[in-house]
Amino acid sequence: MFDRCKVWFDASESRHLDGIDGGKITDGEVFVTTRFTFPDQVATEQIEYHVLANGKIMVDVSFKPLRDKLPELPRFGLNLRIRPEFRNVTWYGRGPYESYCDRKTASCFGIYHSTPEGLFTPYVRPQENGYRTEVRWASFASEEGISLKITGRPEFCFSALPYDYDDLKGFKQGGKHLHDLVKRPWIDLNLDYGQMGVGGEDSWGARTHEQYTLPAKEYNYTFTMEAVKN
């Protein structure tokens, strides 16, 4: 898969910020728009932040491929870091176990609570893990009673782990095992439209079924972020 989808790995590592625009919408409301291109002009991406008068931030993310016959996207979403004290995680969506688009029927809808350590699934070799799908909202709270709340429009997928992508990626890692992981001084948070399924129905290596992939086409998703005092 790394060879087949390498164009998207290169894109994620080397996207170029083409411009930032901003302005006032009404009194107390502003917008900021960022525009990106990717290596070899494979696609464009735009992220618009609409800051509302009540302090909420609506984030709208859109993606458009520019070439034909591109491979599927392994994942489409945003990644950010939040302070480690926001470690009390509550979400409404599938749980309590990790779930992926082709492996989710054992994860039922409900309101669940955990921590970044609790969301981590300890596979023998560090790899993608801990995903939660079809999430309506998720909250990350500190002991001081302040929360960062993410609300989907209508839903999103997320992971919130004490390790980042470079710690967990399954290539060029020199045989890394769980005991090699060092906890990061932040929470690595992915807020996604989604990612392809895990595949492997023969227990090793089988391709993900087509209906559980993200074909190279236009995508758009929206969520809101707000600070909440509990």
Side-chain angles (χ1 to χ4, degrees):
M1 187 185 105
F2 178 68
D3 291 333
R4 184 177 70 251
C5 300
K6 188 175 185 299
V7 62
W8 299 123
F9 174 76
D10 293 341
S12 69
E13 294 285 292
S14 306
R15 69 178 185 171
H16 179 264
L17 176 63
D18 286 340
I20 301 177
D21 299 316
K24 184 170 73 171
I25 301 172
T26 63
D27 288 340
E29 295 188 12
V30 299
F31 74 92
V32 176
T33 301
T34 59
R35 298 182 305 279
F36 299 90
T37 54
F38 299 95
D40 300 320
Q41 297 294 308
V42 295
T44 61
E45 181 183 31
Q46 177 172 293
I47 307 173
E48 182 167 304
Y49 305 88
H50 183 183
V51 184
L52 307 177
N54 60 10
K56 294 183 180 181
I57 302 175
M58 185 169 68
V59 183
D60 183 82
V61 188
S62 58
F63 169 89
K64 181 179 180 180
L66 300 178
R67 285 168 35 189
D68 296 328
K69 298 181 181 180
L70 288 166
E72 72 273 22
L73 281 71
R75 181 184 214 139
F76 174 50
L78 298 178
N79 172 265
L80 62 149
R81 296 170 180 175
I82 61 176
R83 295 175 64 88
E85 55 262 37
F86 292 93
R87 55 178 285 98
N88 299 308
V89 186
T90 303
W91 75 97
Y92 173 43
R94 288 191 179 271
Y97 317 109
E98 69 173 13
S99 59
Y100 291 82
C101 63
D102 62 349
R103 198 185 75 187
K104 63 184 181 183
T105 54
S107 296
C108 300
F109 283 98
I111 296 178
Y112 300 99
H113 308 274
S114 191
T115 63
E117 292 78 12
L119 293 170
F120 180 76
T121 303
Y123 294 111
V124 173
R125 189 196 74 185
Q127 58 188 281
E128 160 63 35
N129 75 88
Y131 212 48
R132 267 63 183 178
T133 60
E134 299 180 40
V135 175
R136 273 50 173 181
W137 57 262
S139 175
F140 305 87
S142 69
E143 296 297 336
E144 288 71 33
I146 302 295
S147 300
L148 170 65
K149 185 176 182 181
I150 313 295
T151 303
R153 296 168 64 93
E155 63 183 42
F156 61 99
C157 305
F158 86 94
S159 63
L161 302 175
Y163 312 105
D164 66 19
Y165 170 76
D166 286 331
D167 297 325
L168 302 176
K169 65 186 179 186
F171 52 91
K172 298 181 180 177
Q173 59 181 355
K176 187 182 294 182
H177 289 80
L178 282 177
H179 68 269
D180 297 313
L181 294 177
V182 177
K183 187 183 295 185
R184 297 289 187 172
W186 61 74
I187 298 168
D188 193 74
L189 176 59
N190 288 299
L191 300 173
D192 295 342
Y193 172 90
Q195 65 174 302
M196 64 187 293
V198 297
E201 65 178 9
D202 60 355
S203 81
W204 189 264
R207 288 278 295 270
T208 302
H209 287 222
E210 185 176 357
Q211 66 266 37
Y212 301 119
T213 63
L214 295 175
K217 64 178 185 178
E218 293 188 33
Y219 291 99
N220 176 265
Y221 76 113
T222 305
F223 59 89
T224 61
M225 307 174 68
E226 61 182 308
V228 178
K229 186 171 179 59
N230 300 330

